[in-house]
Amino acid sequence: MNNFTYANPVKIIFGKDTIKEIAKEIPQGSKVLITCGGGSIRKNGVYAQTVKALEGFEWYEFAGIEPNPHYETCMKAVEFIREKGITFLLSVGGGSVLDATKFIAAAACFEDGDPWKILSEGSGIKKAMPFGDIITLPATGSEMNNGGVITRVSTEEKLSFASPCTYPVFSVLDPEVTFSLPPRQVANGVVDAFVHVMEQYLTCNEGNSLLQDNMAEAIVKTLVKEGPKALSDPNNYDVRANLMWASTWALNGWISCGVPEDWATHMIGHEITAFYGIDHARTLAIVLPGVMTVMKEQKSKKIIRLGHEIFGIQGDDVIEKTIKAVENFFEKLGVKTHLSDYNLGDEAIEKTSKRLAERNWKLGECRNITSDTVKTILTLRK
Ligand code: NZQ
Ligand code: ZN
């Protein structure tokens, strides 16, 4: 196990009817800006609960944050914050709204030129506005991590950032608000969380981090068991609660303590989303089986362990059978796993690998996934 430091300051408020708790968490006298998306919160009652909880506060609203949030939209929010003298941000929506809010919180305090540098050059975030959130889509783990992913429409770039300054002060996780999710988004969330665990578990690591491996498998077992149930029995509160909590733990930093991390699937997936607008999770469902196949030598021990612990696979060809089991799990959720399912093919392979070559990125836990390897991976997934 490698050395590590772990500090996660986020206060989690979990359970039924917890939105009203925000009134106790937001400092009295704050000038609050609700950030939200395209309107789902107005339809599912979250907006009404939020507004009720904000009685007594001066608050404003910035709506219209897109899925795969746009830098251009975030910068409009920064202008609004300066105009109104906002002092506290409240993200109400899915991971896109929360990622945008994290970036907005940092961009509003950025004193080193164009805040895009935070993403394009990894320019350090030195300060950020305080913010909390009501997360309405279990998927990203953004509610308990300090990262985010922002898209610049003008250059078709989707880049990630992270900083100790961009943890939420609090996150409200009310499983009841997820009942209104369309099946597509339920499935996306399960796949995204599943792949988050794979990025931190399915590596060259020889399994000398027993607790992290067991914890990772516990999260995956929960996703594999409850994911299909959330689709077949959508109003089951306990299923939603288990899924919500598992998605948070898939990317709150805990299972990555002291172990190597891959993230190649995400880095390749982000380019496909940036170029073609395919849902984040669906790009992962395409790419992961390809990464597992091409990198199976260095990942063999952990693929075999995954097959045994999660899918009960023993005997011959465990690696191939486990990769197939992962693909089948995604397909069973209704998430297609080949480029051709999304009308993509050689052009997408060319465009994606060319961009990674231009950036000279070496991906994966051993930094040995080059743009040529990416071409091989994606060709397997046509
Ligand atoms: O915009 P609204 O109207 O709110 O509708 C949203 C959106 O259309 C809808 N939705 C959200 N909660 C709902 C709901 N509809 C009904 N009922 C609810 N309770 O769902 C749609 C998708 O929402 P979005 O926020 O885009 O989805 P998700 O939470 O999966 O976030 C995806 C974004 O997170 C980034 C991805 O790259 C992508 O941009 N990620 C963030 C990470 C992080 N911060 O750690 C890591 C991840 O790997 C990921 O990259
Ligand atoms: Zn993800």
Side-chain angles (χ1 to χ4, degrees), residues 19 22 46 50 90-94 132-136 170-172 177:
I19 291 176
I22 63 172
V46 171
T50 306
L90 177 65
S91 170
V92 188
D133 66 271
I134 298 163
I135 195 80
T136 63
F170 64 84
S171 291
V172 171
V177 310

Side-chain angles (χ1 to χ4, degrees), residues 139-140 149 191-193 195-196 199 251 263 266 270 280-281 284:
T140 62
V149 189
V191 170
D192 195 17
V195 181
H196 291 154
E199 302 278 23
L251 198 51
W263 295 104
H266 268 72
H270 284 172
H280 168 64
L284 308 178

Side-chain angles (χ1 to χ4, degrees), residues 38-40 68 94-96 99 136 140 142 145 147 158 177 180 196 266 280:
S40 72
N68 303 307
S96 287
D99 282 10
T136 63
T140 62
S142 194
N145 72 40
K158 181 179 171 79
V177 310
S180 56
H196 291 154
H266 268 72
H280 168 64

Side-chain angles (χ1 to χ4, degrees), residues 102-118:
K102 290 179 181 178
F103 180 72
I104 292 162
C109 304
F110 193 67
E111 291 165 353
D112 186 14
D114 181 349
W116 179 250
K117 282 165 62 175
I118 293 170

Side-chain angles (χ1 to χ4, degrees), residues 301-351:
K301 279 200 172 20
K302 294 304 283 291
I303 295 177
I304 291 167
R305 185 174 163 142
L306 175 77
H308 179 239
E309 293 296 331
I310 304 298
F311 298 107
I313 298 169
Q314 309 258 20
D316 304 337
D317 307 329
V318 177
I319 290 182
E320 286 66 26
K321 286 179 188 161
T322 303
I323 296 170
K324 197 67 195 143
V326 169
E327 184 179 306
N328 292 342
F329 173 59
F330 295 158
E331 294 274 350
K332 201 172 104 187
L333 291 169
V335 179
K336 303 307 285 170
T337 59
H338 287 82
L339 286 167
S340 50
D341 294 319
Y342 303 88
N343 302 317
L344 298 178
D346 291 333
E347 189 254 353
I349 296 172
E350 228 13 74
K351 205 168 170 188

